[in-house]
Amino acid sequence: MKEDFLHYIWRHQYFDKSEVATADGEPVQVIKTGFYNTEAGPDFKEAIIKIGEVEWSGSVEVHLKASDWQRHQHHIDGKYDQVVLHVVWEADKPVYRIDGSLIPVLELKGRVKLQMLHTYQQLQQAHHAIPCAAFWPSVPEVTKLAMMERALIERLELKGEEVLQTYQSTGNDWEQTVFYTLLRGFGFKTNQLAFELLAKALPFKVVRQHVASQFQLEALLFGQAGFLAEPVDEYAVQLAKEYTFLAHKYKLQPLQPHQWNFLRMRPGNFPTVRLAQLAAVLHKRTSLFATLLELDTIKAYEALFRAQVSEYWQQHYMLGRKAKGKQQSMGKSSAHNLVINVVVPLLTAYATHTGNRQFQEKAIALLEQVREASNKYTRLYEELGWQAKSAADNQAALGLFRFYCEPVNCMHCGIGNKIMKQRAS
C-alpha cells in the first residue's frame, strides 16, 4: 500500500464513519477534509475536525503507520505543529508535536471496504502495462475522454515549461528561445544534442543579420557545425571563405565534425541535409518568433518547414557527395514532427507566459489537424478499445502512460478514481 491510497480514502471519505474515534477513544467528526497540499508541509490544509467537544481548524497528515511521523522527521519540523489529526492505516505508536503535546490519531484499518482494498491491490500489482486494463470496459467513455484531455493538457504544459526555462536562460529573449527550440527540433532524436550545441554556439542575432542571403546562412550553419574545416569541392570552398570572414567578424568558434551522427541513417536524414533545410526555413525571416506564432493552419506550417533548399543541396546529401536524384524538401511527416515538438510547445509556453489561453487552444487545434500513425503507447490503449485519430490523441495517450500508468499513479488518475468509486458504492 502507498500513501496515495489513504489520501484518496480521506479526500472522498470512503471509510466507515460509524463510531469514529481516535486511538484514545475520543469521538471524531469530520466537518471539512481540507485542501490537498502538493507543496511542502502537511497533506491536507484548512481542515475542520471536531474531536470530543472541541472543534479544531488546522491540517491533517496521512501516513501508513503512525510511527512514520518520526521516520519522516515531522516531530522536529514546525510546519507540522498545525496538524490537528493524524490519519493512518495502522496506529502503532503515539506521536507528539515539538512542544510535546499528543496528536490525535485516527486509524483507518478495518474501516475501508475490502472490495476497495482488493481493487487497489489489483491496480498496484497488475502485470499489464495499463494497470486498469481489467477494469477498462466498466469505465464510462466520458470518463476516459476527460482523462485523456487532462493528460494532453498536462503533457503540453510540461513541454511548454521546458520552453519557458529556455526563455529564462536566454535572458528573456523570445527570438533566441525560438531559435534554440527550432534547432533542437531539427536534430530530431539522433542529432538533437549536436543541434542544441549549434544553437548555443550561433546566436540568432548573428543569423538575423544574414537571413537575406541563403548562401550566407549556409556558410554560418555549416561553418559553425564544423563541416567546412576541409572543403571537399568548389561550393564548400566558397562557403568556407565566407564563413572565415563571418567567424572573424562575430568571433565564432565552430563545433567539431565528430559531434554529428551519420551512422545508420538514411541520406535524407543526414545532419547536412537538415542544416540545408534549416537555412531554407531561416531565409528572409528576421523574426522566427512572429513567424511561428502567427501562422494558423497545419498547411501553413508545412509550407514553412518544407521550404525549398538551395540548388546545391537539391543535388547533394553531403558536401562533395552527389545524390542519385534531385533532393526534395523536408518530408511531410518530418514537418509534422516539428509542429508537434517545436510549434506546439512554443504556443503552450507563450499561453502560460501571457495568460492568453487562445495560444494553447491553437496548439491543440494544430495537433488535431495532424494525422499521426499509432505508436507503442497508443497501441496499448487501442488494444483496450480506445482509438487514436490524431497527434492530439497520441500525445494524450503518451501523457496518460508516462504520468499515470507507468508509475502506477492510479489514485491521481480520473479513470482510476472512477474504478475505485465504483467499488466504494
Side-chain angles (χ1 to χ4, degrees):
M1 186 186 296
K2 296 190 295 186
E3 285 183 5
D4 64 349
F5 176 63
L6 296 186
H7 290 165
Y8 176 79
I9 294 298
W10 174 257
R11 187 185 305 147
H12 298 284
Q13 296 289 284
Y14 287 151
F15 60 91
D16 182 4
K17 298 183 185 62
S18 61
E19 300 181 1
V20 181
T22 66
D24 288 342
E26 288 285 315
V28 175
Q29 180 185 351
V30 180
I31 300 173
K32 186 179 178 182
T33 60
F35 301 104
Y36 184 60
N37 177 36
T38 58
E39 307 295 334
D43 295 317
F44 293 86
K45 291 187 174 183
E46 298 182 34
I48 301 177
I49 311 294
K50 186 175 182 180
I51 302 175
E53 298 300 320
V54 181
E55 189 175 292
W56 298 86
S57 295
S59 300
V60 172
E61 178 67 4
V62 177
H63 285 130
L64 296 179
K65 291 185 177 183
S67 55
D68 289 338
W69 181 272
Q70 287 182 302
R71 190 166 66 85
H72 294 172
Q73 302 293 301
H74 296 338
H75 64 295
I76 56 174
D77 189 338
K79 291 192 296 291
Y80 292 85
D81 279 348
Q82 59 185 296
V83 171
V84 297
L85 183 66
H86 192 200
V87 177
V88 301
W89 184 253
E90 182 180 349
D92 58 338
K93 66 177 296 184
V95 295
Y96 303 87
R97 300 183 183 88
I98 292 177
D99 62 5
S101 58
L102 182 69
I103 299 177
V105 178
L106 171 62
E107 184 180 71
L108 295 182
K109 187 177 181 179
R111 289 188 172 275
V112 177
K113 284 187 176 181
L114 288 178
Q115 188 178 16
M116 286 194 73
L117 183 58
H118 291 161
T119 300
Y120 174 78
Q121 291 171 338
Q122 282 181 269
L123 292 171
Q124 293 296 307
Q125 300 167 12
H127 297 295
H128 196 283
I130 310 301
C132 65
F135 304 95
W136 188 271
S138 69
V139 179
E141 290 301 314
V142 66
T143 301
K144 299 171 189 173
L145 178 60
M147 190 58 210
M148 283 291 184
E149 290 178 347
R150 173 180 150 193
L152 171 61
I153 296 298
E154 290 176 351
R155 177 161 174 77
L156 295 188
E157 289 179 344
L158 180 64
K159 296 176 77 170
E161 182 58 36
E162 293 175 357
V163 175
L164 289 175
Q165 289 175 4
T166 301
Y167 174 66
Q168 292 174 355
S169 70
T170 62
N172 300 344
D173 185 338
W174 276 115
E175 292 293 353
Q176 187 62 34
T177 298
V178 175
F179 184 63
Y180 177 89
T181 306
L182 180 64
L183 265 66
R184 189 173 188 268
F186 259 83
F188 293 85
K189 290 184 178 180
T190 310
N191 281 292
Q192 187 176 90
L193 177 58
F195 268 95
E196 286 180 8
L197 293 174
L198 178 60
K200 293 177 180 178
L202 181 61
F204 182 68
K205 64 182 179 181
V206 172
V207 173
R208 183 160 46 190
Q209 299 300 315
H210 301 278
V211 294
S213 169
Q214 198 161 350
F215 173 77
Q216 288 184 326
L217 286 173
E218 289 184 5
L220 280 170
L221 292 172
F222 284 94
Q224 275 301 88
F227 291 129
L228 300 179
E230 298 179 4
V232 292
D233 62 11
E234 181 58 31
Y235 186 69
V237 170
Q238 295 174 26
L239 286 178
K241 183 178 179 180
E242 184 68 21
Y243 173 69
T244 299
F245 169 76
L246 294 173
H248 176 74
K249 179 179 180 180
Y250 297 114
K251 297 179 174 57
L252 301 176
Q253 293 296 322
L255 305 182
Q256 297 299 315
H258 68 79
Q259 293 175 291
W260 299 90
N261 186 15
F262 289 83
L263 295 177
R264 293 182 291 278
M265 297 180 69
R266 294 179 179 178
N269 294 327
F270 279 1
T272 45
V273 173
R274 295 303 188 201
L275 286 171
Q277 293 169 345
L278 177 60
V281 171
L282 296 174
H283 185 38
K284 296 182 180 179
R285 300 190 185 280
T286 57
S287 176
L288 281 177
F289 181 52
T291 298
L292 296 186
L293 214 60
E294 292 171 0
L295 298 180
D296 57 3
T297 67
I298 194 66
K299 293 295 183 182
Y301 285 105
E302 284 178 14
L304 169 66
F305 294 131
R306 303 184 74 187
Q308 184 63 62
V309 296
S310 64
E311 185 177 352
Y312 180 87
W313 289 105
Q314 292 176 34
Q315 302 170 11
H316 294 75
Y317 60 89
M318 290 181 68
L319 287 165
R321 300 272 187 94
K322 279 200 170 186
K324 292 182 179 180
K326 187 175 181 180
Q327 296 294 300
Q328 301 298 317
S329 59
M330 176 181 288
K332 188 174 181 179
S333 62
S334 294
H336 286 173
N337 187 290
L338 291 175
V339 171
I340 294 168
N341 294 303
V342 175
V343 179
V344 167
L346 170 64
L347 292 173
T348 304
Y350 197 62
T352 300
H353 178 74
T354 62
N356 188 341
R357 307 318 296 176
Q358 289 184 350
F359 290 104
Q360 186 177 74
E361 293 170 5
K362 177 180 174 180
I364 295 173
L366 286 173
L367 289 176
E368 290 174 342
Q369 293 176 55
V370 175
R371 294 295 175 260
E372 192 179 33
S374 295
N375 54 50
K376 64 179 181 180
Y377 300 105
T378 55
R379 284 192 287 273
L380 290 171
Y381 298 100
E382 287 175 342
E383 290 171 1
L384 302 178
W386 181 77
Q387 187 63 47
K389 298 178 182 179
S390 67
D393 294 329
N394 283 9
Q395 290 294 306
L398 181 55
L400 184 61
F401 183 79
R402 289 273 176 82
F403 300 151
Y404 299 95
C405 298
E406 189 174 38
V408 196
N409 199 11
C410 304
M411 295 299 94
H412 293 279
C413 171
I415 297 171
N417 272 211
K418 187 65 176 180
I419 292 169
M420 295 298 294
K421 185 176 181 179
Q422 291 171 338
R423 300 310 184 274
S425 56

